[in-house]
Amino acid sequence: MRLTDCHSFHDFRRMAKSRLPGPIFDYIDGAADDEVTYRRNTSSFDSCSLVPNVLRGVRDIDMSVTVMGQKLALPVYCSPTALQRLFHHQGERAVAAAAGHYGTMFGVSSLGTVSLEEARRISGGPQVYQFYFHKDRGLNREMMARAKQAGIEVMMLTVDSITGGNRERDKRTGFSIPFRLTLGGMVQFAVKPAWALNYLTHEKFKLPQLDNHVDMGGGALSISRYFTEMLDPSMTWDDVAAMVQEWGGQFCLKGVMSVEDAKRAVEIGCTGIVLSNHGGRQLDGSTTGFGMLAEIVDAVGDKIDVIMDGGVQRGTHVLKALSLGAKAVGLGRFYLFPLAAAGQKGVERALGLMKAEIERDMRLMGCSSIADLTRSNLRFT
Ligand SMILES: Cc1cc2nc3c(=O)[nH]c(=O)nc-3n(C[C@H](O)[C@H](O)[C@H](O)COP(=O)(O)O)c2cc1C
């Protein structure tokens, strides 16, 4: 399979599957428990239909948006995801460059394999730094100071991961960082020699956001122990309010799902919230970002930028979310499979296809700018 054969999310997923060792593919593709929420994320977009208008003079399409003070050429951005070096040796560098190429935002994860400073230099577009709340308050402060120094535009605190989700596919394959695989998992690595060669002949795997705090090489602290031992499940709104004050700029919470929490995010001075269930990887059976969107936009949409992610595979999914009032839409696996399939070229192709879909779909809807997308364009079935 070649990159030019990839025309949709499903094609990229197939190509990634053929290239990656099984445990790594399952780490990306998998979710928590029975993966009900993961499946529901994409199907939730089918709960409504688009109602097009015709003869509206839609020669020129402007799909730019402004979210948390950042002007994006596209209404989608690359949501922060962990461990990208494992998927392709170009890792975050590829995603940062591709996002920059399309004039959109890129989120670097605390568990990223390239430093936030280097990603910042590559991307050119606005950059998000995604972080977790650690028990060690000094570490939290240090991370924010480092992000400020690097010129990060948006701080994004992930609040849905105070403990790790139950990813059963990873348990079966033995996937963990540092690598410790079951025998079956090792066999699956052995049958993907091209990936192994690529992995071994490029720079060593590292986690530069955490290297001073987590010993990956010696295996002193695995990723799952990072979640259980270093993150603070007792964090409260007061703790986060103090961080928002200290940052003093664009600050957003990722993983807010209730109207009540959305209101509290406004109260503590956040400038954005991402309605997200972490791609179904945390609390299985939880609701979807798209499902909660209308209610939350109605409650706080005039006071804070409401964003959503989860299950986005098509331009029409993006149009539906924007019609309900989302200011922008996050992509996860949509760019990760292309990264795994073909590095920067893959991510660029995927974002290019998404851009073309959004443009075509807006034209077919009779909308020449994002502001034309309103609830009158939707019918719930
Ligand atoms: C492999 C993988 C790793 C992820 N790592 C992180 C992370 O480090 N921090 C974070 O806040 N979200 C992380 N996420 C969640 C994404 O940012 C995003 O919320 C989710 O992928 C959206 O769902 P989608 O993949 O269906 O688009 C990860 C998701 C995947 C698939």
Side-chain angles (χ1 to χ4, degrees):
M1 192 174 184
R2 287 176 318 221
L3 187 58
T4 46
D5 297 326
C6 293
H7 303 287
S8 74
F9 170 85
H10 300 285
D11 297 333
F12 286 113
R13 181 175 176 275
R14 245 191 320 276
M15 189 169 164
K17 189 169 188 178
S18 71
R19 189 181 164 272
L20 290 174
I24 297 186
F25 174 79
D26 278 325
Y27 169 71
I28 302 174
D29 194 51
D33 292 0
D34 299 311
E35 306 190 348
V36 173
T37 292
Y38 176 26
R39 286 189 296 276
R40 217 181 262 162
N41 274 345
T42 302
S43 64
S44 65
F45 293 104
D46 297 336
S47 63
C48 66
S49 312
L50 292 162
V51 184
N53 285 306
V54 296
L55 305 176
R56 295 253 169 139
V58 284
R59 204 188 54 183
D60 300 317
I61 300 289
D62 177 7
M63 62 178 91
S64 65
V65 292
T66 300
V67 61
M68 292 179 290
Q70 315 306 312
K71 174 117 187 189
L72 311 183
L74 296 180
V76 294
Y77 66 94
C78 296
S79 188
T81 58
L83 313 181
Q84 291 175 17
R85 161 77 178 87
L86 281 188
F87 316 149
H88 190 280
H89 70 271
Q90 295 170 346
E92 287 82 356
R93 292 186 185 101
V95 184
H101 179 80
Y102 280 97
T104 192
M105 198 159 74
F106 163 68
V108 67
S109 166
S110 288
L111 298 171
T113 52
V114 161
S115 74
L116 64 104
E117 291 84 0
E118 189 184 344
R120 185 75 199 81
R121 283 195 294 276
I122 295 170
S123 80
Q127 190 170 316
V128 169
Y129 177 45
Q130 177 274 321
F131 69 118
Y132 292 107
F133 194 83
H134 300 87
K135 283 179 188 156
D136 178 349
R137 305 296 149 98
L139 173 55
N140 293 335
R141 271 196 297 277
E142 191 187 306
M143 280 186 155
M144 282 206 290
R146 186 172 160 186
K148 191 158 274 176
Q149 181 76 23
I152 295 291
E153 280 84 356
V154 178
M155 286 299 270
M156 185 179 274
L157 178 68
T158 299
V159 286
D160 60 14
S161 306
I162 45 173
T163 187
N166 179 37
R167 320 254 172 95
E168 289 181 2
R169 292 201 219 181
D170 295 348
K171 288 184 174 158
R172 273 181 220 111
T173 63
F175 178 89
S176 70
I177 298 292
F179 278 133
R180 221 175 287 111
L181 292 165
T182 59
L183 191 60
M186 279 190 273
V187 169
Q188 292 190 53
F189 269 84
V191 297
K192 298 288 161 122
W195 179 92
L197 190 68
N198 183 283
Y199 183 76
L200 294 170
T201 53
H202 289 88
E203 81 194 288
K204 201 168 152 277
F205 177 88
K206 46 185 192 322
L207 294 173
Q209 270 64 255
L210 292 172
D211 268 353
N212 293 339
H213 312 280
V214 183
D215 181 3
M216 289 298 153
L221 193 59
S222 68
I223 290 284
S224 58
R225 283 180 60 207
Y226 165 75
F227 279 98
T228 51
E229 290 175 25
M230 286 185 68
L231 301 191
D232 190 350
S234 69
M235 82 165 151
T236 65
W237 286 97
D238 290 342
D239 295 316
V240 180
M243 291 181 99
V244 174
Q245 288 303 314
E246 187 166 333
W247 177 252
Q250 301 291 337
F251 195 108
C252 125
L253 297 182
K254 175 169 179 282
V256 165
M257 277 301 213
S258 72
V259 170
E260 199 181 332
D261 285 353
K263 287 181 177 163
R264 294 196 84 165
V266 173
E267 275 162 30
I268 65 166
C270 291
T271 51
I273 45 175
V274 186
L275 314 188
S276 169
N277 53 37
H278 216 108
R281 297 160 77 80
Q282 289 297 105
L283 179 66
D284 196 33
S286 64
T287 184
T288 65
F290 185 70
M292 293 307 297
L293 193 53
E295 213 176 317
I296 293 183
V297 167
D298 287 343
V300 297
D302 54 341
K303 301 184 190 78
I304 196 168
D305 284 350
V306 181
I307 303 158
M308 63 84 48
D309 75 26
V312 176
Q313 299 175 358
R314 286 287 181 195
T316 50
H317 297 162
V318 176
L319 262 51
K320 287 178 178 181
L322 297 170
S323 298
L324 281 184
K327 287 284 189 313
V329 171
L331 305 171
R333 296 175 184 89
F334 184 87
Y335 76 83
L336 284 178
F337 289 133
L339 171 67
Q344 184 176 333
K345 282 200 182 76
V347 183
E348 283 183 359
R349 182 171 172 87
L351 290 177
L353 289 171
M354 176 56 88
K355 181 180 176 190
E357 278 192 22
I358 294 173
E359 188 170 340
R360 182 188 311 116
D361 296 339
M362 284 179 69
R363 210 166 255 136
L364 291 171
M365 284 293 294
C367 297
S368 45
S369 78
I370 300 292
D372 295 341
L373 291 163
T374 65
R375 292 194 195 171
S376 64
N377 297 131
L378 298 180
R379 283 296 174 278
F380 281 82
T381 42

